Amino acid sequence: MKTVLAVDIGSSSVKAGLVSVDGTVLSSVRIRFDKKQPFPWFWLSAMKTAFSSLLGSSAFDVSSLESLVISGAGPTLVAVSGSGEVSASLLWDEPVPAELNGLPDLRGDGAASSIFLPRLNVFRRMFPAETKAAGCIFSGPEFAVACLSGNRVTVLPEPRYTSAYWSPGLLEENGFPEDVFPPFVPPGFTAGYFLKGENPFLYNPYGDFFRDVLPEGTRILAGPPDFVSALLGTGTVSPGRACDRAGTSEGLNVCISEPVSAEGLRTLPSPVSGLWNISCLLGETGLDFRNFRDSSPEYAGRTYADLLAEVCESPIIPVPGMPVNPVREAAERIGFKVKAGIEKLKAACGLNPEFTLSGGQAKNTLWNQMKADITGSVFLLTQTADAELLGDAVIAFCASGDYSSYSEACSSMVEIKQRFIPDRNRNRIYGRKIRGF
């Protein structure tokens, strides 16, 4: 059966999986970055370990491998010199000096709506010489695509996203030479084929680094930003479908038929032409819980499953004189934030959707049920919590012609396996708690 190798580059790890044309995730791995290594080596080393683990298994028939597709977090920026060396990089979540953030000196119509220009502006101020001398500036995981294929591209999720990226005129007006930015291509574009030996664009160590773990001639596809892959991997591609993408950070998304403007929400084009996606960004909910755990000697080192089991054994509203469980308090703060986000979305788009889960938080069934109980909404889980990998596979099999559209591919490949329905009694008690009595 046809298989693709799907790769998603996150903020702390690389996730990779072998996905068949019917949506079955045959195997998957997550390799955490070793940030003692410099960039880009901690990216590439994690990818190499993932490839070796998945493709080196005797149970996998390498001849069935259709392609490799790479998505990832952004906006990450990588400057490469004319001779092919990485001269500067700024990861999407990397802190920058406070005095360089939010500078009001971008020019031109459309600058305010661009996701990348503010970050580019900071990048140039942090690395002025490197930016000026750059032979190419990559926008994110496209750098990894170039390492494997030797070709430079920037993936535009859908034509309507141009204003969220840049236009040639806008780049020039803000002092960025157009020719250092790779051309726009659609998701699933064939960037090239993996060739063992010297990489025609970047220095040999990057491409040749994968010599022993990736088959010669593997087709390399350019994937979109990871949130677009997650929309596809959760089937959030028809009006009323929704997803909750929750890992280190969290965002709620609803597919809508017309754009909606509302305070605290962002509307962007859907990867499906003619549709839109409205989202509520909740911040780093997963990181908040991890920080709570790690800062407490009593809880540091305990697993999330263990902590959530303790929460579920504690009363939602303790009897008088009994202290509230601190882990429950930390979890409920996140749950109440999710509820507030859902209420914002419902008010803005007039829908009451069920949310398909994605991300590391989705792997804890106790937490999924607690979210349902707190919010009063139904949450769904597909065959994998790593929706980015499934979405990458949707893109790859559409590119190969196995499916004629994202909608067709999602209907066939994305299957709901589990439903988390709110318990009415617990939802009522949480409601009392939110109201303060």
Side-chain angles (χ1 to χ4, degrees), residues 80-99:
V80 177
S81 69
S83 58
E85 295 175 298
V86 172
S87 56
S89 64
L90 183 63
L91 304 184
W92 76 274
D93 60 343
E94 192 171 343
V96 301
E99 64 270 18

Side-chain angles (χ1 to χ4, degrees), residues 239-262:
R241 290 294 299 267
C243 67
D244 175 8
R245 184 169 177 259
T248 300
S249 58
E250 184 166 2
L252 303 164
N253 298 270
V254 182
C255 183
I256 53 179
S257 56
E258 298 290 339
V260 172
S261 178

Side-chain angles (χ1 to χ4, degrees), residues 138 143-153 191-195 198-202 207 220:
F138 290 101
F143 169 75
V145 170
C147 288
L148 295 171
S149 70
N151 291 316
R152 299 172 288 175
V153 298
Y193 297 84
F194 178 68
L195 301 176
E198 186 171 353
N199 187 303
F201 172 63
L202 296 173
I220 310 299

Side-chain angles (χ1 to χ4, degrees), residues 350-365:
L351 300 169
N352 185 22
E354 299 177 346
F355 289 84
T356 303
L357 294 156
S358 168
Q361 294 185 41
K363 296 178 181 180
N364 191 305
T365 56

Side-chain angles (χ1 to χ4, degrees), residues 31 82 113 368:
I31 308 298
S113 62
N368 297 340

